[in-house]
Every structure is written in structure tokens, then in C-alpha cells.
Amino acid sequence: MQDAAKQAIANSDMHLAIDIAKTAIERFGFHPTSQYYLALAYANCGSRQEVFTLVDKLMEKVSDKDEVYVDALCLIGRLEKDKFFRRSEPGTRNQDAADAALVSALEAYHDAYEISGGSFPGINAATLFLLADAKPNSRDIAVKLITSNAADQDEFWQIATLAEAHLLLEEYDSARHYYQQTVELAGTNYGLLASVKKHLPRIAEKLKIPNDILNMLSGPTIGVFTGHMFDASDRPTPRFPIAMRDQVAAEIGEIIDASQIKIGYCSAACGGDLIFCREILNRGLELHVILPFADEEFRRTSVVLNGVDESSEYWSIINSASSVSVATDESHLNNPCLYTHAADLIEGYAQLQSQQCTGEIQYIAAIDPYTPGESGGSLERAVIWLEEGNDVQIVDLGKMRGDDHNQSILPTQSTKKDNRQLDREIKSIVEVSSNTHDDVVHRVMLGKVPEDTDYLQGEGINRAFNSVKEAADYAYHIRALAQLIRWEDMDLPADTQLQIAIHTGPIFPRSKSKDKDYFGTHVFYTRDLAEVTPPGCIYLTEPAAALLETHGPVEFSSDYLGVMDINTKKRQIYRLHRA
């Protein structure tokens, strides 16, 4: 069972790992390895309190000569190091908390190194000593790691460890040599490079690292695209005639090459989208396609038009893309808000990947910037990007046509229309469950939370918000309230905690009144996620996490946890935390 728990963690299935490890302990009693995997899985879920409780018990029962003892110390070091990094970020700096976390992390990693001599705790201790202004201690460990050649690790981490050790010694030529090897070994595994790069900005605060070394581990440029569809044969005035395909493709290709884009995000409508997709794939790059709604209906509305049938190219792109996802499985119902939602997700998913691999985003829009467009369309999206202050490369369809045109409406005027026929609304949904008696817990909590937000179908604590930021604020507020309650005074277990989930998607209002009651598949999906969220945690779906990156403030962030089975469907899940 221990091997099964280890494999589940390797597959990013933390909830399966928790179930396996718990079952092993219940059936066979305490075992240090099972206890460690349980703590590691909880750590990857963000449940710090459970981790420290489990590790304390583990360390009480095993000798410091046991390998799992060192693993547990490194786990504590990791948690405290991550806390130090978060608490010392500009704009969210809490110096006392950061200093305390640095001391705890350094103590854990240094103890692990002293016991084991391992290069993993060693390089972490060496770097943390530098950050704690104990440079001689840092250099001492770095010299020992180089002398041992970090031979206890696999090839990639051996080379990465030697690179950082030489960097700490300010031996920049050697550091440059080893960092170049890490880049070559990592290839397109940008997440691996991001892990290596994690310490560099902090080390650069203490040492004068050459810029070329800092730039060696730069993440990939990610292309985010929006563009008009080809003109249908019955379009009264030309905007994007299909005859311009090759000219537009050439310009998009030039932008991809000049910007050194390695990953592309877009939809797959005929016209600009499919051209961008083809240019990305022709270069052997990574492509992620996001459709606004179900495939069959999307093809009918956006791939096959009067006089235009791009079905063959569409299927070629879909079958070649690195991933294809659908913003909602629901029908279009002639509802432009679904296009807006999908465009938000395209940008948000790109920003999530940018965060994970420390890359930059290049926005590209193939549009006619002289004629107002429809709600949810590419012109509206380009205006939003520009008003947000982003660098947007414009492929100007008006100039390509050679028409006389008026002044561009970019970036001062948005073309968003008052859409009165909307029968769905994009909302961020908060669902609250608990690890004990839901009915009692909900009655207690409902008396303590404001009721000026929109209700959802059903009972319990569930609300709908206009933004994921509002939803995150509410989730943190209600969790904090629950932590102040003495549950044992109500004949409930003292460890009663809330399980909170946030999801963003289109839902249906039951009425037009001020106090709306919502329903729909996305409401039920949020409930399913809350049921499997660990006590005390706040989980986000990928759409909610993406929109948090797109529209959220710096006070909130999210950590990727992995793939979970939610009501028979595999979903990518994130954990919410304050930055």
C-alpha cells in the first residue's frame, strides 16, 4: 500500500494518496512510511495544520537515523521556505512572519543535512544561510556539495545542485556551465526549469549575479491569440475575406518567430484562430485550444459558415493540439456571454502557465480595428487587453484589405454592447461543506454571515458572486469565522472544519428579482468539489484559478494540486491562499 500511495503522489492524485495512506494506518497500525506519505499528500493539498501534526507524531516514533526522519525534516523545510517566500514578496511583505519562517526552514534543512549529508537538504540549507546573511555557512556547505559532486541525486538535479553551489560561491563561469546543462536536460519541461529558477531571484538580492545567468533560465513566451472569423458569403461588407488567409498567416508567423513564442493559447474558430493554431503547430510548438461550448455546436456556429467550411482544418488542429478543453458542456443558446467566458479562460489559463513556468505572455489580435464588433468578439477582447496595459501585436485586417478606413477605435473605446437577451450569467460560486454534521454547522454559520449576496439552489452555505475576488474574500471570511467557534460546546467534534470550493461558470437565474436564486450544472459541480475538499482548505477549479490570475488582486494566489476525479470527471484543481 505504501508503493500505491507513493505512485498516487507521483500522479498528482493527492486525495487517492491520502485514502491509501489512511487505510494502511487503520489496517496495519502506525508505520513511518505510511505516515510520511500521508503528510506529504496533505502538504501538496495545502493542509499545513494536518502536516505538522502528522510529522510531529512521526518524529516522536522514529530515530533520526531513519531515512523517513530526514524526509520529514525536508518536508517541514519546504513548507516553511514557501511561507518565507510568500511573506517576503514585495507588496505583501510581512517581515516578522518572513523572518520566523526563514529560521524554521533553515533549521529543518540544516538538521536534515547534518544527519544525512544529502545534497538536496544541503543546497537548500546553503541557499537559506545566504538569505539569512550567514554567508560563511553558505559557502562551507556549497564547497562540500561540489566536493561530493552531488552524486546522490539523478542527473538533472545533480547538475542543478552543482550550478547553484557554484553560484553561491560566486564562481560564475562554472555556474553558467552547469546552468546551461540544466537547460539542455530539461528541454521543453518548463516546470522543471521553473523549479531550478525558484531560488535565483532571492540569491540575486544578496549576490551580483550576471544578467546572462539570470536570463538563461527564463521561461517560455506564451502566445495568447484572438482573431476574427472568415467572412461568410452573405456578409454585406468585407472584414476578413478568406483570400487573405496566406497574408495573415505570414504576419502571424512573423510575430511568433520574433516573439520567440513556445506555447500558444486560443480557440479554434475558422479564420484567425485556426491560422494561429496552424502556425504554432507548423513550428512544432505546444498548443492549447479552449472551446467556448460543446464541440458539435461550436463547429456549427464557428467553423462552418455560408460559403466557408473549415472542418478538415479544424479536426487536424484538434487532433494535433497538446490539449483541448471546453469552457462549458452546456449549449450555446445564442448566448454571447459564453464567448466572453471562454476568452477570459484562454487568458487566465495562459497566465496560470506563465506563473508556473515563469514565462512571459505575448498577446496577438488579428482584427479590423476600424469597425465596431459584436459583444464577446475579438475586437472587444483586444480593447480589454490594451486597456489592461498589455503589449498587443495587432494584425491589421483593414490595412491588408487596402480599404479607406476611419481612425482606429483602439484602445480608447470598448465595443461591448448592452446584451438584453442574456439568459445566463457568469458567476463565481462558493459552496461550503463540513467534515461533520452539515446541517448543524450550516445553521450555526448562516447566523454569522451576511445575506446580501445571491443564493443558489438548495440549502446550506452557498453563494454566487460577480467576481472570483469577491468569492475568495467571502470564502476566507467564513472560514475565519468558523475557526473562532467552540464546536464542542454544541456537542460537535472539536476538530470540526469547513470544506470550501470555488468555481466560475455560466449559471441560470430562476428569477429577475434582486434576490436571485441560481441553478445549473456548474452549481452542482461546485458542490461535488466541496465534498472532497480537505477540512480547513479552499479549493478552486481551473476556471476559477485562471480568472483569479486574469482579474484578481495580488492578495490572492493559487497553487496547482493536480488532477482529481470529481463526479466521474477528471478536473484540474488548485488551492486558494493569500499571497
Side-chain angles (χ1 to χ4, degrees), residues 98 185 257 316 428 481 499:
L185 288 170
D257 294 338
S316 176
S428 290
L481 287 174
Q499 301 161 257

Side-chain angles (χ1 to χ4, degrees), residues 43 64 101 116 131 154 159 189 224 262 265 293 391 491 504 510 515 562 565 570:
D64 62 8
S116 68
L131 301 186
D154 62 35
I159 298 300
N189 191 336
V224 178
K262 302 298 183 185
Y265 279 83
F293 40 84
D391 174 31
D491 296 324
T504 302
R510 286 186 180 276
D515 296 326
D565 284 317
K570 292 189 178 298

Side-chain angles (χ1 to χ4, degrees), residues 5-6 8-15 17-18 36-48 51 75 78-79 82 534 537 539 559-562 564 573-575:
K6 182 179 180 180
I9 292 172
N11 293 338
S12 297
D13 194 339
M14 300 307 155
H15 292 77
I18 289 170
Y36 170 71
Y37 286 141
L38 182 59
L40 179 59
Y42 270 122
N44 291 341
C45 288
S47 301
R48 284 176 56 91
V51 174
L75 179 56
R78 179 192 119 188
L79 292 176
D82 289 346
C537 288
Y539 273 12
D559 294 327
Y560 178 62
L561 300 179
M564 290 175 57
I573 301 301
Y574 292 73
R575 177 181 62 90

